[in-house]
Amino acid sequence: MTVLLTSSLKDLLDIVLVATLFYQGYMLLSGTRAVNVLRGVLVFVLAWAVSNFLQLTALNSLLGRIAPVGLFALVVVFQPELRAALEQIGRTRVRDVGASGAALQDISRAMERMAERKTGALIAIERRTPLGEYAATGVKLDAQISAPFIEALFARNAPLHDGGMIVQSGRVLAAACLFPLQASDGIYRRYGTRHRAAIGLSELTDAVVLVVSEERGSIRLATGGRLSADLTGAELRDRLRELVYE
């Protein structure tokens, strides 16, 4: 009796773990273009199972030949999504607060002033995912955060105006950095380079990315591959406090 009970508990645990694994996998892909492909893969697997059950030799042989090539193609095409998913799974280190309250105030103040003057800007605040590889594409600074300093960095015709600024542990780690662009066929394809770079970096990391539009003078925020609506200075400060200290 004890053996049967132990076996039943193990089976139940096995089912729960498998269900949890599938659910977490779906949640990682939810909201990305990979969801539709996942549905297509499920249809393919179902067709293969039916062909095996009905012993449809020709169809079964064809599907069997397509499967390895299709799997390799999926890995190549969806490498960014797979990388983002694996990084999310691996974010186990304790949060290193990206900026102090005073630093967030300075960042918000600088964003407001640049928005008023329609000065384009792109700022990423590091959270769990290290941004060192993106900082390496720009100019290392390791400077104290202040509103005038940020405004000077992004001033028109300034040497470091183009590219993004990275904030790490409450300091300006680097500027003029290259961020990965969101795919040109995505839902934000009509936006400019700065906005697509903000979205692209937020897709691959958990960074909070801020952007000021040079054309509209608007402030927006990108997290998790999503772009917020236009924000006022007060709304930006509230969102930063919520996201950086959550």
Side-chain angles (χ1 to χ4, degrees):
M1 182 67 177
T2 303
V3 174
L4 289 175
L5 182 59
T6 303
S7 178
S8 298
L9 288 175
K10 287 175 63 177
D11 290 341
L12 179 60
L13 178 61
D14 193 20
I15 293 171
V16 170
L17 290 175
V18 170
T20 301
L21 181 64
F22 275 104
Y23 175 74
Q24 291 299 327
Y26 180 80
M27 292 305 294
L28 286 172
L29 297 176
S30 180
T32 70
R33 58 185 178 142
V35 171
N36 290 332
V37 176
L38 178 62
R39 291 170 184 154
V41 170
L42 292 177
V43 171
F44 180 88
V45 171
L46 180 61
W48 198 353
V50 170
S51 70
N52 271 320
F53 180 74
L54 298 178
Q55 297 183 347
L56 304 176
T57 307
L59 180 59
N60 193 43
S61 176
L62 177 63
L63 294 177
R65 292 176 184 274
I66 291 174
V69 179
L71 181 62
F72 177 76
L74 287 175
V75 171
V76 172
V77 172
F78 292 99
Q79 185 270 339
E81 283 80 0
L82 290 172
R83 176 182 172 181
L86 291 174
E87 282 189 350
Q88 187 170 335
I89 293 171
R91 289 171 193 161
T92 56
R93 70 186 180 97
V94 176
R95 180 190 298 276
D96 181 15
V97 175
S100 66
L104 294 182
Q105 289 287 347
D106 279 323
I107 292 171
S108 300
R109 193 177 305 116
M111 295 291 283
E112 282 186 272
R113 292 175 181 171
M114 290 187 291
E116 290 171 0
R117 294 194 295 268
K118 292 188 176 180
T119 300
L122 181 62
I123 301 174
I125 302 175
E126 180 183 285
R127 296 201 288 177
R128 292 190 187 93
T129 306
L131 301 179
E133 65 177 291
Y134 304 108
T137 65
V139 178
K140 291 289 185 70
L141 296 176
D142 189 25
Q144 184 176 345
I145 292 175
S146 71
F149 179 68
I150 295 172
E151 293 173 60
L153 279 179
F154 289 106
R156 288 184 177 88
N157 301 320
L160 304 181
H161 170 75
D162 291 324
M165 183 186 98
I166 295 177
V167 174
Q168 181 190 73
S169 301
R171 296 181 66 82
V172 178
L173 174 63
C177 303
L178 300 178
F179 295 167
L181 296 181
Q182 192 255 357
S184 58
D185 60 346
I187 60 175
Y188 296 108
R189 59 183 177 275
R190 65 185 179 87
Y191 286 89
T193 304
R194 278 196 184 88
H195 289 82
R196 288 178 53 213
I199 299 161
L201 183 65
S202 74
E203 283 180 330
L204 298 178
T205 73
D206 68 342
V208 177
V209 192
L210 315 175
V211 59
V212 174
S213 170
E214 206 167 49
E215 292 76 24
R216 299 174 55 239
S218 61
I219 303 172
R220 305 186 84 168
L221 180 151
T223 53
R226 304 276 183 176
L227 195 62
S228 73
D230 293 355
L231 300 172
T232 65
E235 289 171 338
L236 176 63
R237 284 188 287 274
D238 289 342
R239 291 285 286 141
L240 285 180
R241 280 194 293 267
E242 173 190 334
L243 291 166
V244 175
Y245 297 119
E246 67 180 359

